[in-house]
Structure formats: structure tokens, C-alpha cells
Amino acid sequence: MAKQPSSQTYNVPIKSQAAPGARGIFALGLTSRLDAATCVMIAVSVVTAYLVLPPLYSVIQTSLFTTKLTGEIDQFTFQYYRQLIAELSIIGPFLNSLYFSIGSAVFATLLGGSIAWVVTRTDVPLRGLGYFTAFASFGTPFILYTIGWLLLLGRAGPINYWLKIFFNQTSPVINIYSLLGMILVESLLWSPFVFLMLAAAFRSMDPALEEASSVCGARLWQTLRRVSLRLMLPAFFSVLLLIFIRTFESFEIPALVGLPGDIRVLTTSIYLDAQKLPPRYGSAGAFAVLLMLVVAGMLYLYFRITREGERFHTVTGKGYRPAVIHLGRWRYVAASGLVIYSLVLLVLPFLIILWASFLPFYMQPSVEAIGKFTLKNYVTAFNFPKITDSIKNSILLGLGSASFVMILTLLASWILVRTKIRGRWLLDFLTTLPLLFPGIVMGLAILRFYLFVPIPVYGTLWILLIAFATRYIPYGIRYTHSGLLSLHKELEEASYVSGASWFNSMRRIILPLITPSFLGGWIFVFLLSAKELSMSVLLVSPQTPVVSVAIFELWENAQIGELAAFGVIWTVILVAVAILYYAFARRYGIQQS
């Protein structure tokens, strides 16, 4: 048998006087790859650092220094933090944020987890409806979804109207502008996210202990309570913590539902301080630092839990196929629950928006109101320059941010997965750091930074593109990282041995093979960018309107008809993209996170 080349082949010197042999060609390919890897890491690290570090510096500097009207730093001070403590202005928003996040996370986890268990572990009909509902919900803008519920459950909404007649009352039965109302809408908004995350865990559960419980004579509900739910506790707790983090930093529902009810949370406190005349950027910065510290602590706990969750070997990624639980006559009851969930989550909010879009002014659903139907709002939506410019700008920002984020994170993931270069931990840290920034904090930080830095992006689409790209780097890294981990490096090595450059190997080998993950991440980032409000509301200018802010302003101006027509058009566009995302996810097994 011929002797195999040793690992020392990698270090064989190549003499320029003679043509290199097979070993020399391989060593040359490896050297070129390492040089390319170093250059790529430096370039990606510089770009990522430019995106991530200035906002961090800006928000800390804003909270610790006073500034002159020219933007120059005046003096170091703790006065903004002292004011928050002395005036007790931090206690109310912080407690409201805490109650709101805990309630939303618990209810969303229970609702989404229940739907996930029914869909993945039972023989319920219409199981595909659960997945379709979850993915289609990504196409509904958060702000429009919230407005739909305000129209349904508002003081003049149809539900309160019918409840007042039923209970013979004159005052509204349901007060949506309350902390409970905020929790209800927020938890419904996040329940599809919980469904997708827990559905994967339910599908991969090892059925051995459940089968042992059944053999020992335990009934279905005893097995579910004593075995299944306990096995899923790590997954449930990690999802609960993640939803807590995301609701703690949310802005849309606290702004639209909380502020009219005089309920302030940390995110709306930052927004209100930044919108005052003159703006109180120092106080907003102090609120922002507090919010970031809480998010950082929760993220640290989340990463610890998910990392240590590997100890629970009964819930793994192996090819387990848990036994389907036969519900008998209850399967139709469960199917009815799925239909009701889909109606409540998607259909009702959209139908009330669609109803309002055909009326010259908002009216209760009735036969009389049908006689006033008109297409005037749609004509206005198609012909009004600000609306058409908003759609164009949002699409451009979605395309630009999704493309930039996925290319940048593909290169970063290749460095993290394929190389052993010293210092790559710094790149890993930089791509994770944006998770610390709630959207409103990111918007404030980028606003302050580019107000006084001589880079002419303030008031243009470029500042929004920078904000979106920075915010969504962690989401892109998840898709590209998982895609590269599933791709064996032997194909890439074969390309180098054949004489291909790093660029050609990336273009012709790596990118085609991870296309499902890459496109899945691209569509996801596009949808997030197209719906984003919390950063946009601080960064847009009259020359750069975007859809989410335009809808927000129409709602504040009580232009319900124009808002509804505009929202229907935009929702149709985004839902079409979301259905495309659903098709990719279903065909290639892409999981949402």
C-alpha cells in the first residue's frame, strides 16, 4: 500500500526554481487560503466594528456628558442618572416594562407552546394551518397588527359595541389602553415565534421515557404532565426568557397602546425624551443605558441556559420520531382551536383594516356602512407621493439591508467556522454585540453619532440602511453559521487542491451549497427591515419616509381610511414575501429563531 502523505505536507516549502509537485500545489493552495482568510477577517472585522462600536460609544457618551448646541462635548457628569433617581422617574417605567414583559412572555409561551404541541405531537387535522399562520404573521407589519386590534377592541370598536349591548352597559367593557391590553396584543404578536421555536423541540424529543411511562400504566395527561413537560422545561424556559427580552425592548405596542393610556415603559420614555423641544438626549441616554444593562443581563442568562441545555440529552437533534398521540374525538376540538387561533391572530385584525379601507371615515361594521363603500382611499394611496415614496424607500432599505447583512455574515461565519485564526473571537463578539441594543436605543445612538460626525448621511436613506444593517447582523449570522456547519469542508478543500482561488471556491462551491440558509436569512432580514418602526421613527426625515413611520403618523392624525388602504397594500406585498419564506423553510427545513 502506498504511503499516505503526512500532515507535515502543509508546511513543505515551495521552491521557485522548479515547478511545484502535488504537495507543493496543495501547500500553495493552503497558504493562499490562509492569506485570504486573514484579509477577509480584517475587512469584516473593520466593517462590523464601524457599524457596532459607534452606537455603543454614542449612547454611553450621551448619558455621561453634557454637550453644547454645536455638538461639542462640554463636561463629564452624572446628573442625568441622578435626575432619574431623584425624580423617581425611572421607577414607574421600569416596573411597567417588567410587568409587561413577564405577562407577555408567559402568555405567549403558553399559547404558542400549546399550539406547537398539538400540531407536532397529535393527530389533529389541519396541522399545516399552524405553520402557515406562523409564517404568514411575519408578513403583517407590527404597527398595522396593533392598529387592527385597537380598531377591534377600542372604545368605539365593534367588540366593545356588541359587548355593551349584550351586558346593557353604556361604558366600554374592555379597556385596550391598559397594561393588560398591552400584554394581550404583545403576547398574540409573539406566539407564532414561540410556536416555531418549540415545534422543533417537540419534533426532536426522544420518546423512550414517554413510552416507558405508558408501559407503566400512566394515562395520557399523566405522561404529559410528569414526563413530557418536564423534559421540555429547558426549552420552555429559554423561549420564555427570549420573549421576555424581546418584549422588554419593544416599542410599537407600548407607543400605540400604552401612551394613550398614560402607561410609560422604558422604550417610550426614551422616545418621549428624544422628541421634546429641546430634546433631552441626556435623560434619554440614561434610560437607554439602563435598558441595555437589563437586556445584557437577560441575554447572558439566556446564553447560559441554552448552552447548558445540552446536558438534557432526552431532547436532542437526532432523528427521533416521537409517537403521534391519538386524540380520538378530541382531535376535531383541537382542529377547531387551530382555526380559531388562525382567525384571531391573522384574519380578524386584517379584516377590520380591510373594512376601514373602504370607508370615507371609520364606522362600525353594519349593513348601513356597506352602502358607503368607496375606493377613494386606495386612489389616494396610489397617487399620494409620500405613500408611494414610503413603499419605494422601504423596499430599497429591505433589499439593501438584507443583501449587505447576509454577505457580511457569510464572510464572518466562514472565518468562525473554517479557520483557526487568532483573534476571531473578537469577530464573534462584534457580530453578537447588536443584540444588546433595543431598536429605540440603536436609533437614538445612531442619531446622536451622525448628527455631529462629519459623515453626510443624516437625513438620507443611508443612515437608515446603516441602522438596519447593524441591528440585524446577529440574525444573519445565525443562518449563515448553521449553513456552513452543515457543509463538510472536504468539498472546499477539493476546490483548493484543484487550483481554485478562495473567491472562486466561495462563489462556485460554498454559496450554491448553502443557498437555502442564505436565502432564508435574506428573506427574514428583508421582512424585519420592511416592518421596522422603533429605529425609523427617530431617523427618518421628510425626504426619506418609510412605510412604518408613515402609518404611525397617519394613525396619530386620525386618517384611518388612508392608513387602512395603505396598510392593506403593504401587507399584501409583505405576506407574499412571507409565503415565499414559508415555501423555502418547508422545502429545506429552515427553522425560525
Side-chain angles (χ1 to χ4, degrees):
M1 181 180 293
K3 184 178 181 181
Q4 298 295 326
S6 66
S7 59
Q8 294 179 348
T9 302
Y10 289 79
N11 300 319
V12 173
I14 302 173
K15 296 181 181 180
S16 58
Q17 293 89 339
R23 293 186 179 184
I25 292 175
F26 187 71
L28 180 61
L30 182 64
T31 303
S32 301
R33 184 184 63 160
L34 292 177
D35 291 341
T38 303
C39 294
V40 170
M41 191 186 78
I42 293 173
V44 172
S45 298
V46 169
V47 173
T48 308
Y50 168 75
L51 292 174
V52 173
L53 296 182
L56 181 61
Y57 163 78
S58 178
V59 71
I60 295 175
Q61 181 266 328
T62 300
S63 68
L64 291 175
F65 290 88
T66 58
T67 55
K68 300 178 181 178
L69 293 177
T70 58
E72 299 175 359
I73 295 177
D74 191 5
Q75 60 182 355
F76 179 84
T77 181
F78 284 110
Q79 70 175 15
Y80 302 120
Y81 294 97
R82 286 197 298 266
Q83 287 173 0
L84 293 183
I85 297 174
E87 299 173 5
L88 298 179
S89 57
I90 198 174
I91 302 299
F94 179 80
L95 290 178
N96 287 336
S97 296
L98 192 64
Y99 299 148
F100 170 60
S101 301
I102 293 175
S104 301
V106 169
F107 190 71
T109 302
L110 291 176
L111 179 60
S114 300
I115 300 296
W117 182 82
V118 168
V119 168
T120 58
R121 297 300 311 277
T122 72
D123 61 343
V124 63
L126 305 176
R127 278 176 288 184
L129 182 62
Y131 285 98
F132 178 82
T133 301
F135 279 95
S137 68
F138 294 147
T140 305
F142 294 158
I143 183 172
L144 197 67
Y145 184 84
T146 306
I147 290 174
W149 278 106
L150 291 178
L151 293 177
L152 283 170
L153 297 176
R155 297 180 180 91
I159 294 180
N160 262 320
Y161 175 76
W162 295 326
L163 287 176
K164 285 191 295 183
I165 295 176
F166 181 79
F167 290 105
N168 194 23
Q169 293 187 8
T170 56
S171 59
V173 178
I174 299 175
N175 180 20
I176 188 65
Y177 298 102
S178 63
L179 193 58
L180 288 177
M182 292 169 59
I183 291 172
L184 172 65
V185 180
E186 186 80 14
S187 55
L188 287 173
L189 184 68
W190 283 105
S191 61
F193 209 79
V194 174
F195 165 80
L196 289 174
M197 296 181 72
L198 290 181
F202 278 124
R203 285 197 308 268
S204 61
M205 178 184 292
D206 185 353
L209 294 179
E210 289 183 327
E211 293 171 357
S213 175
S214 300
V215 169
C216 293
R219 295 181 179 179
L220 171 61
W221 298 112
Q222 290 177 321
T223 300
L224 177 64
R225 179 171 57 89
R226 297 181 179 180
V227 178
S228 303
L229 291 181
R230 293 189 181 185
L231 293 177
M232 290 294 296
L233 279 180
F236 268 106
F237 190 67
S238 63
V239 170
L240 182 72
L241 190 56
L242 182 61
I243 301 303
F244 174 88
I245 294 169
R246 292 304 167 219
T247 53
F248 199 86
E249 63 181 37
S250 67
F251 173 75
E252 289 87 350
I253 291 172
L256 292 172
V257 182
L259 288 182
D262 197 26
I263 301 172
R264 289 179 54 173
V265 297
L266 291 177
T267 53
T268 51
S269 297
I270 295 170
Y271 169 73
L272 292 175
D273 282 340
Q275 294 296 309
K276 289 180 179 178
L277 293 176
R280 296 179 57 185
Y281 289 126
S283 298
F287 273 116
V289 170
L290 173 65
L291 185 57
M292 288 178 61
L293 289 175
V294 175
V295 172
M298 294 296 101
L299 280 173
Y300 173 76
L301 183 59
Y302 172 74
F303 289 138
R304 284 288 302 271
I305 291 173
T306 53
R307 184 167 59 245
E308 293 178 0
E310 297 174 357
R311 296 180 295 129
F312 294 83
H313 297 300
T314 51
V315 182
T316 74
K318 296 181 180 180
Y320 293 126
R321 296 184 63 87
V324 173
I325 298 173
H326 298 282
L327 297 178
R329 59 187 178 183
W330 290 100
R331 61 196 299 262
Y332 299 106
V333 176
S336 301
L338 284 179
V339 173
I340 293 173
Y341 174 73
S342 181
L343 288 174
V344 171
L345 190 69
L346 290 179
V347 179
L348 288 182
F350 180 76
L351 283 182
I352 194 67
I353 295 291
L354 185 64
W355 170 268
S357 70
F358 290 116
L359 294 171
F361 53 90
Y362 181 74
M363 299 176 62
Q364 294 286 350
S366 63
V367 176
E368 178 186 357
I370 296 177
K372 299 183 180 298
F373 273 10
T374 177
L375 295 176
K376 181 181 178 181
N377 294 323
Y378 287 93
V379 174
T380 302
F382 279 112
N383 295 327
F384 190 52
K386 184 175 181 179
I387 291 179
T388 55
D389 288 345
S390 298
I391 294 177
K392 180 184 69 175
N393 290 338
S394 292
I395 292 177
L396 286 175
L397 287 169
L399 294 173
S401 60
S403 301
F404 179 84
V405 165
M406 295 311 298
I407 292 173
L408 181 69
T409 55
L410 173 61
L411 298 175
S413 295
W414 184 83
I415 294 295
L416 297 174
V417 174
R418 289 288 188 260
T419 72
K420 301 294 182 182
I421 300 175
R422 291 181 180 179
R424 62 195 175 99
W425 63 268
L426 179 61
L427 181 59
D428 191 13
F429 172 75
L430 289 174
T431 55
T432 306
L433 191 60
L435 289 174
L436 296 180
F437 289 92
I440 193 73
V441 175
M442 179 72 75
L444 174 67
I446 291 179
L447 168 69
R448 290 285 293 162
F449 182 76
Y450 286 102
L451 268 176
F452 306 119
V453 172
I455 300 177
V457 298
Y458 181 75
T460 70
L461 283 179
W462 289 106
I463 193 171
L464 289 164
L465 181 61
I466 291 171
F468 292 173
T470 306
R471 171 80 165 148
Y472 300 126
I473 284 174
Y475 298 91
I477 203 77
R478 181 194 180 277
Y479 282 91
T480 54
H481 194 272
S482 60
L484 282 171
L485 284 176
S486 64
L487 178 63
H488 200 283
K489 63 181 180 180
E490 62 185 11
L491 296 175
E492 191 177 345
E493 295 289 358
S495 174
Y496 296 132
V497 171
S498 300
S501 64
W502 173 85
F503 178 78
N504 284 332
S505 297
M506 178 67 71
R507 180 173 60 90
R508 303 179 67 179
I509 303 296
I510 299 174
L511 187 56
L513 291 175
I514 68 165
T515 293
S517 295
F518 187 90
L519 287 181
W522 190 95
I523 296 173
F524 186 53
V525 174
F526 174 87
L527 289 172
L528 290 177
S529 301
K531 300 188 298 182
E532 207 287 325
L533 173 65
S534 55
M535 291 186 295
S536 304
V537 75
L538 295 178
L539 297 176
V540 295
S541 68
Q543 292 74 35
T544 59
V546 296
V547 170
S548 57
V549 178
I551 292 176
F552 185 68
E553 292 174 350
L554 288 171
W555 174 256
E556 289 191 324
N557 295 330
Q559 296 175 264
I560 305 299
E562 294 88 344
L563 177 157
F566 184 22
V568 168
I569 295 170
W570 188 234
T571 300
V572 169
I573 295 173
L574 292 190
V575 167
V577 178
I579 292 174
L580 178 63
Y581 182 38
Y582 170 67
F584 270 107
R586 186 175 182 181
R587 181 172 181 178
Y588 295 105
I590 299 172
Q591 296 300 325
Q592 181 59 47
S593 69

